[in-house]
Amino acid sequence: MEVSLQKIFDIWLSGGWVMAPLFLLAFMLYTQAFRLVLHIARTNLNGKEEYAWREWVLEPQKAKGRLKKIIRYTQENTNCIETVRNRFDEVRMAQLAMIQQHLKFVKCLVAAAPLLGLLGTVLGMLQTFFGIATSGGAETATVVASGISEALVTTETGLTIALPGLFLVMFIQRQAHQIEAKLSRLESLTITCLNLKAKKSLTT
């Protein structure tokens, strides 16, 4: 275990000073990404119980979880379709605004990771060429090896940070689209049920 940690530390040092901002970037990226994943988990709209939504819209007291609050809010003191739609727009803003805002920041971090790794690559190659130009004999091989190591380690680290982050961004986007689609279906169902209620009251 000690040998493995020592190797990791040696590899880390071989990447030069660029490894420090790469570590900070990775920490910020995955902290924000997992925060979004937890927020989406708390914003669960009970998609598995969608078969019961019609009953819940007609009888809001039977609804469960966050949907109960949404259904009650969108139906409370509403007398026209426009009011219902405005209420659902407010719900969308509350549910999705935080996700979209932080997702933009995560996307910037994902894009910055390989670029920061590329900066390390350039610095490593500059060190390599400088070593070739100024050193001689055995020193040349040492300087060149150090420069190439820095170039490769930073590039690999940047890509290693960015690729899982890219998949996390795609997952978060998909979940956000699902939430938006569920809210749209609930809105249509609510308007339909309210129209049915209005027609029944007119016939009676």
Side-chain angles (χ1 to χ4, degrees):
M1 185 67 177
E2 293 181 0
V3 176
S4 299
L5 290 175
Q6 185 62 41
K7 286 183 179 179
I8 293 173
F9 185 69
D10 292 340
I11 293 173
W12 176 271
L13 291 179
S14 67
W17 65 267
V18 178
M19 296 297 285
L22 275 172
F23 174 79
L24 179 61
L25 186 147
F27 177 78
M28 294 172 61
L29 192 161
Y30 290 107
T31 300
Q32 290 294 325
F34 286 115
R35 180 184 175 189
L36 283 176
V37 170
L38 291 175
H39 176 75
I40 289 172
R42 291 194 298 267
T43 316
N44 182 22
L45 296 180
N46 293 327
K48 295 180 180 179
E49 299 180 351
E50 195 169 344
Y51 65 90
W53 284 10
R54 184 180 183 85
E55 181 183 359
W56 291 356
V57 169
L58 294 172
E59 300 180 65
Q61 68 275 9
K62 293 184 178 181
K64 300 177 182 178
R66 188 175 294 269
L67 269 175
K68 186 173 185 177
K69 296 180 180 179
I70 294 175
I71 291 172
R72 283 188 170 182
Y73 175 71
T74 53
Q75 292 190 26
E76 188 176 19
N77 299 325
T78 55
N79 52 11
C80 63
I81 293 176
E82 286 73 17
T83 304
V84 174
R85 287 176 175 167
N86 290 336
R87 296 276 179 89
F88 270 100
D89 288 339
E90 293 175 13
V91 172
R92 284 191 190 91
M93 288 294 295
Q95 298 286 339
L96 300 173
M98 181 267 189
I99 296 176
Q100 298 298 338
Q101 181 181 0
H102 286 80
L103 188 59
K104 290 180 182 178
F105 181 59
V106 173
K107 286 181 179 179
C108 291
L109 294 177
V110 170
L115 294 177
L116 195 56
L118 182 61
L119 174 62
T121 302
V122 174
L123 293 176
M125 295 309 296
L126 288 175
Q127 180 180 341
T128 301
F129 295 140
F130 179 78
I132 294 173
T134 59
S135 302
E139 293 181 1
T140 303
T142 302
V143 175
V144 170
S146 175
I148 293 176
S149 176
E150 180 177 346
L152 295 179
V153 167
T154 53
T155 304
E156 181 182 6
T157 305
L159 292 175
T160 302
I161 293 171
L163 288 176
L166 181 61
F167 288 113
L168 272 174
V169 166
M170 293 173 62
F171 172 77
I172 293 169
Q173 284 180 327
R174 181 181 178 186
Q175 295 298 312
H177 291 157
Q178 287 182 356
I179 292 173
E180 188 173 4
K182 289 175 183 177
L183 287 173
S184 296
R185 289 196 295 270
L186 183 61
E187 179 182 0
S188 300
L189 185 61
T190 302
I191 292 173
T192 302
C193 290
L194 290 179
N195 284 339
L196 289 173
K197 285 183 178 181
K199 289 178 181 178
K200 288 181 181 179
S201 61
L202 288 174
T203 55
T204 56

